[in-house]
Amino acid sequence: MVEQTAEFTTRPWTRYSRKERWIRFAIYFITLFAVVWAIRDIDIFWPWVWDAPTQIQNLGGRMWPPEFEAWSAILNAMLETVHIATLSTLLTIFIALPVSYIAAQNTTPNRLTLWIGRFILVSSRSVNTIIWALLFVAIFGPGVLAGILAVMFRSVGFIGKLMGEAIEEIDRRPVEAMEATGASRMKVVLFGIVPQVMPAFFAIVILRWDINIRESTVLGLVGAGGIGVLLQGSIDTFAWQTVATILLAIIVLVLVGEALTSLLRKKAL
Amino acid sequence: MSEARQEAGPLTGQKWKKPPFIASPWLRYGLLIAVVIYLYWTFNTLPFNWDRIAEGLPRAARIFGGAFPPSFERGELMWTGFKESFQIAFLATLLGVFLSIPIALMAAKNLAPMPIYLLGRGIIILSRSFHPVIVAILFVAAVGFGPLAGILTLTLYSIGFVAKLLAEKVEEIDWGQMEAMRAAGAGFFKTLIYGVFPQILPRQIGLSMYQLDSNLRASAVVGIVGAGGIGSTLMNAFGRYDYDFAFAILILIVGVILVSEGISGWVRKKIW
């Protein structure tokens, strides 16, 4: 006992134990090594790096002042962007709800459907909207439909996953009570589960709509409709002042979307 | 009691009904009608090219026929692409995380004076309002095709996310330590290093891990507009109708993302 105290008092204070220190050094070393490797190996033409600030300033100069001549075309494209976001969010709901039902552990009929549901959700989320758009443009040709489908395929994973989690968190007792009275499966879902997940549903859909507006602004870069088509066209023709206007319009759209969704969230929930 | 309730049914002739989700009938049916009108309007005004769409199914069959089986023959090209994507994501995360610290301090209400606070918030809002792909085409236009544009894009993207959450964390720090240090006569930078940083560091490391994961995803996408990495390889494969190679790349992207999500989730669980 006494010896122990003596040992404690003579031991110098350190923040980390020996093992922790070694782990920290190892992490620092690995990070440093990775940085050196990445910088040496990456295919960058270094003179361009030193030149970059000038080039970016140059580009900014060419954009100023924004030119508002094409405002009606921009407005139309904006409207199309909003339509793509809204339609795809609305349509996604019909796919995402059944998928979330089979992907939730407490409602899925059996293990196989659970894994099918999980697989749909994961594969939808791990492919980006732009990549989905690339695929649908190849299939259906450039245009709005490819954009809507791309945003839909991406949103299914998002809405389905969050809804599945909401379903897994419900209070089981109303469901059990209804099952005990002999209610059919349909009725249990309609009266036992749906009312419990309704608030979560609206919150998730509103959130996704907000995200989809941002996603829809870039679809046009691969030819899938919306403001991106106009943006790509202006860049290709070096109409930098129009590009500036489009960028301003996108900022306004995103801010309006954000304001609208926060208002909706406050009102509806 | 229960008898009275049982009798109430037949007597009044009423059956129990589920209370509607939206109480006001005007709002309930109004919303429904609004949705129907909206759908009608959009389907009529949006420029669908139905002829072209009708060709879609045979075309899809052809594409998927061409994509199966996925070809992993040009593995070297794929490896180069993925390596570059990783390098872009890694360098951009480091750069973005370092730059996000001063910006987060600027954007914290409890540390920064009003004009600097507004400047910090402005930087965060600006870097958040554009999709990384839009930023990428601008950088490609400014500094040319290749990984440099990708690194710049993802750095900006990281600043938007990390600085925002870090600023929120800075605003929530325990102020007692700051006051104690100030009372002992420490200057601004000393209070920053010994009072603020230890409190926000764990959050910063967690955010960095998350951001590395999300930059890895984004680096696949910014490549599509020419900013280097696997996205450029994918875009080239698509452009040359090399669908079996493109499909192989897609499968690998999904696999890599799942693995990186797993790793970053595990690390964050360890840290938090």
Side-chain angles (χ1 to χ4, degrees):
Chain A
M1 179 76 180
V2 179
E3 270 169 44
Q4 224 176 25
T5 349
E7 197 201 319
F8 274 128
T9 47
T10 54
R11 199 174 65 186
W13 180 84
T14 50
R15 189 166 165 196
Y16 302 105
S17 71
R18 181 187 294 264
K19 193 182 154 202
E20 279 170 338
R21 239 185 348 253
W22 276 107
I23 292 176
R24 288 171 76 84
F25 276 127
I27 292 174
Y28 290 147
F29 184 75
I30 291 171
T31 314
L32 196 69
F33 184 79
V35 172
V36 172
W37 169 70
I39 290 178
R40 288 179 63 103
D41 191 71
I42 200 165
D43 191 17
I44 286 182
F45 188 55
W46 289 98
W48 282 2
V49 178
W50 316 130
D51 202 27
T54 335
Q55 292 297 330
I56 292 168
Q57 248 172 22
N58 215 327
L59 188 67
R62 269 175 278 166
M63 282 186 184
W64 192 260
E67 180 188 330
F68 291 94
E69 217 165 82
W71 65 272
S72 73
I74 293 175
L75 203 66
N76 271 331
M78 278 304 188
L79 209 59
E80 197 177 287
T81 306
V82 175
H83 286 335
I84 291 175
T86 312
L87 268 183
S88 52
T89 313
L90 276 177
L91 296 174
T92 303
I93 294 171
F94 295 102
I95 309 172
L97 287 186
V99 175
S100 67
Y101 179 80
I102 62 168
Q105 240 158 15
N106 50 352
T107 50
T108 192
N110 54 50
R111 279 211 91 65
L112 178 70
T113 52
L114 179 70
W115 286 111
I116 293 175
R118 293 255 164 103
F119 176 74
I120 296 174
L121 294 185
V122 166
S123 50
S124 155
R125 278 186 315 125
S126 45
V127 179
N128 198 286
T129 313
I130 292 283
I131 297 178
W132 280 120
L134 211 59
L135 189 69
F136 286 117
V137 167
I139 295 175
F140 293 113
V144 189
L145 183 75
I148 292 175
L149 284 175
V151 179
M152 272 177 72
F153 269 67
R154 172 77 167 177
S155 307
V156 163
F158 183 89
I159 297 182
K161 178 170 192 258
L162 293 179
M163 276 310 283
E165 277 165 14
I167 294 175
E168 279 174 359
E169 277 165 18
I170 59 167
D171 187 353
R172 278 214 52 79
R173 285 169 302 182
V175 177
E176 271 169 18
M178 291 185 63
E179 276 166 359
T181 60
S184 68
R185 192 71 212 151
M186 199 61 216
K187 283 199 170 153
V188 171
V189 171
L190 219 56
F191 297 105
I193 298 175
V194 169
Q196 292 196 54
V197 296
M198 216 45 158
F201 171 75
F202 279 99
I204 293 165
V205 170
I206 290 170
L207 176 62
R208 188 65 217 185
W209 181 72
D210 188 19
I211 298 173
N212 281 348
I213 283 187
R214 287 160 197 259
E215 302 265 280
S216 307
T217 57
V218 298
L219 289 170
L221 300 175
V222 292
I227 187 76
V229 177
L230 221 56
L231 185 64
Q232 184 81 71
S234 311
I235 289 174
D236 287 346
T237 53
F238 306 111
W240 292 109
Q241 291 171 323
T242 315
V243 171
T245 321
I246 294 173
L247 293 182
L248 282 178
I250 290 177
I251 292 190
V252 171
L253 178 73
V254 167
L255 290 181
V256 168
E258 218 157 81
L260 202 64
T261 49
S262 76
L263 182 84
L264 271 178
R265 224 170 288 156
K266 239 178 258 164
K267 283 260 176 197
L269 308 171
Chain B
M1 175 70 183
S2 68
E3 284 162 38
R5 192 184 279 173
Q6 264 175 359
E7 274 167 28
L11 272 181
T12 55
Q14 279 183 332
K15 253 183 95 179
W16 179 83
K17 265 198 204 140
K18 186 172 89 80
F21 180 70
I22 300 167
S24 151
W26 282 103
L27 191 61
R28 199 177 340 139
Y29 294 112
L31 269 179
L32 200 67
I33 291 169
V35 169
V36 171
I37 290 175
Y38 176 77
L39 285 179
Y40 181 78
W41 177 50
T42 48
F43 272 103
N44 271 318
T45 54
L46 284 183
F48 289 110
N49 183 354
W50 291 113
D51 297 333
R52 181 67 183 75
I53 290 166
E55 292 171 25
L57 282 183
R59 198 176 273 266
R62 212 163 54 238
I63 288 175
F64 282 108
F68 273 106
S71 142
F72 290 90
E73 261 169 42
R74 265 162 292 170
E76 202 163 321
L77 210 57
M78 232 188 288
W79 161 243
T80 320
F82 266 108
K83 198 178 65 179
E84 196 170 87
S85 266
F86 177 76
Q87 288 164 341
I88 292 173
F90 183 70
L91 291 177
T93 309
L94 274 182
L95 222 70
V97 163
F98 277 118
L99 288 175
S100 73
I101 293 174
I103 293 171
L105 293 175
M106 283 165 70
K109 223 178 207 156
N110 51 355
L111 283 181
M114 204 50 178
I116 294 184
Y117 168 75
L118 290 179
L119 180 66
R121 283 284 152 184
I123 294 175
I124 290 177
I125 290 177
L126 201 68
S127 53
R128 278 172 60 78
S129 52
F130 292 120
H131 197 285
V133 174
I134 291 181
V135 180
I137 49 170
L138 291 179
F139 276 128
V140 167
V143 303
F145 287 96
L148 178 61
I151 292 176
L152 291 175
T153 304
L154 294 183
T155 304
L156 201 66
Y157 176 56
S158 311
I159 289 174
F161 181 79
V162 177
K164 180 175 193 262
L165 292 183
L166 200 62
E168 276 164 21
K169 182 72 189 171
V170 173
E171 284 176 351
E172 289 169 1
I173 58 167
D174 185 354
W175 200 244
Q177 305 175 21
M178 296 285 291
E179 275 177 0
M181 290 192 62
R182 279 190 186 165
F188 179 71
F189 282 100
K190 286 207 167 147
T191 52
L192 217 56
I193 291 171
Y194 295 104
V196 179
F197 284 165
Q199 295 194 54
I200 61 173
L201 210 60
R203 167 62 70 90
Q204 176 72 338
I205 293 171
L207 283 176
S208 312
M209 284 314 292
Y210 180 84
Q211 192 60 38
L212 181 63
D213 177 35
S214 110
N215 278 349
L216 199 57
R217 287 157 183 262
S219 76
V221 182
V222 296
I224 288 175
V225 291
I230 191 69
S232 299
T233 321
L234 179 69
M235 194 61 186
N236 285 339
F238 252 97
R240 293 170 33 184
Y241 306 105
D242 229 348
Y243 291 123
D244 50 354
F245 185 46
F247 195 58
I249 295 176
L250 274 182
I251 291 176
L252 259 179
I253 289 180
V254 172
V256 167
I257 285 172
L258 287 182
V259 170
S260 91
E261 193 173 319
I263 293 176
S264 102
W266 178 76
V267 171
R268 270 180 296 142
K269 213 182 276 171
K270 281 265 175 180
I271 291 173
W272 273 334

